[in-house]
Amino acid sequence: MKTLITSTEDKLNAAFDKRFGRAAWFCVLDESTGETAFYPNENINATGGAGTKAAEKVVELGVGKIISGDFGPKAKELLNKFNIQMVIIEEEDLSVKEIVERIKK
Amino acid sequence: MARPKSLRKVVKPPGFKGYKPYGASGTKGEAVELLYEEYEALKLADYDLMSHQEASELMGVSRATFARIYERARRKMAKALVEVKEIKSVYGHAWLDKSWFVCNHCDARFTMPSTMKERSCPVCKSFCIESLTDDK
Ligand SMILES: [Zn+2]
């Protein structure tokens, strides 16, 4: 299964971005191969509906689970509809790499 | 398998929406967000002077989880004081939604889509998870 982690930059040791719709980058981890890929969030500066657009992007990427710090009501609704698992981590100062390692362990 | 139980019931929510420093030359940056459960951990341990064991039982979480919540609460309070920040009390993000779970091992909160087969934490794979909404 593919897991998406919101990231501030396009590298593994970037800080975990706690926003979903307005995260700078999406890191997609393929749990079967352990490989990661980064996708820019094209809608980061959208005036409205960033959460909805991010959720649509997630569906397009074929992701089954998302790790972020928070989800807006619109994003939640859409992700629920598509049976995509939402995961909230509230810890401060985490890197994307640390989260990837937790999943892989 | 772990018995799902009601969770982190905040015995009494904080009697404030936030705190603001005064006599300071303006506050800096964003407010510190104190979750209800963090407020409660602080209250039970440092105001009611309970042991971590007692407090964790009262909150319905493991001792390790309690220790983590408590530590986070203290760090946030220290940060607010030292960095002259406002404190906002926030209802734990996911609590009011249905079908959210929490992992007692790593503290992640998550939904469980009906297509999901495994009843384990999506981050650390622990089976020690509990529902945030079950009232039994
Ligand atoms: Zn976990």
Side-chain angles (χ1 to χ4, degrees):
Chain A
M1 183 173 57
K2 284 193 201 167
T3 297
L4 186 149
I5 302 160
T6 44
S7 176
T8 51
E9 291 171 88
D10 60 339
K11 53 180 192 220
L12 269 180
N13 49 13
F16 170 51
D17 200 325
K18 288 180 145 187
R19 302 158 310 167
F20 171 58
R22 298 203 183 274
W25 291 84
F26 298 134
C27 170
V28 176
L29 164 73
D30 188 328
E31 289 191 35
S32 56
T33 62
E35 274 165 33
T36 49
F38 286 83
Y39 301 88
N41 179 4
E42 291 130 9
N43 300 300
I44 185 167
N45 294 316
T47 40
T52 309
K53 284 176 189 138
E56 283 164 358
K57 176 84 181 169
V58 165
V59 175
E60 190 189 308
L61 289 169
V63 163
K65 130 180 137 194
I66 306 175
I67 301 181
S68 193
D70 201 6
F71 298 90
K74 290 240 177 71
K76 268 185 201 164
E77 208 185 300
L78 253 172
L79 296 170
N80 268 332
K81 205 173 95 190
F82 284 99
N83 285 316
I84 293 167
Q85 186 173 39
M86 287 170 265
V87 183
I88 293 177
I89 297 184
E90 282 175 340
E91 268 167 73
E92 305 286 335
D93 306 321
L94 269 182
S95 71
V96 172
K97 196 171 165 212
E98 284 170 289
I99 297 174
V100 168
E101 275 161 8
R102 273 187 206 178
I103 298 172
K104 281 190 186 168
K105 230 186 339 190
Chain B
M1 214 185 123
R3 175 179 54 97
K5 59 185 173 197
S6 82
L7 178 335
R8 299 185 190 182
K9 289 247 177 56
V10 175
V11 176
K12 191 170 179 294
F16 59 86
K17 283 215 176 74
Y19 271 96
K20 224 176 187 151
Y22 74 95
S25 50
T27 56
K28 279 172 282 176
E30 279 172 33
V32 168
E33 293 190 341
L34 190 69
L35 299 182
Y36 279 19
E37 59 187 333
E38 290 163 354
Y39 163 86
E40 187 179 354
L42 209 57
K43 172 180 173 289
L44 296 178
D46 293 338
Y47 180 83
D48 299 327
L49 305 178
M50 283 186 191
S51 71
H52 284 196
Q53 187 63 42
E54 288 171 303
S56 64
E57 280 166 20
L58 203 79
M59 284 175 73
V61 296
S62 71
R63 241 194 93 142
T65 302
F66 177 83
R68 215 161 31 231
I69 298 169
Y70 176 63
E71 182 65 31
R72 226 163 40 206
R74 289 180 35 168
R75 288 194 186 175
K76 285 187 183 177
M77 294 304 292
K79 185 176 171 146
L81 294 181
V82 174
E83 297 181 14
V84 196
K85 283 178 186 297
E86 286 180 29
I87 301 168
K88 264 199 306 192
S89 62
V90 184
Y91 209 93
H93 294 301
W95 292 23
L96 292 174
D97 290 307
K98 282 200 176 128
S99 64
W100 281 82
F101 292 77
V102 67
C103 171
N104 274 331
H105 183 244
C106 75
D107 241 15
R109 289 152 202 244
F110 49 93
T111 57
M112 198 64 99
S114 49
T115 46
M116 202 80 24
K117 272 165 257 128
E118 267 180 53
R119 311 291 283 176
S120 60
C121 171
V123 180
C124 72
K125 313 284 189 291
S126 164
F127 286 99
C128 192
I129 62 170
E130 49 192 345
S131 167
L132 281 164
T133 38
D134 275 9
D135 251 333
K136 273 196 211 96

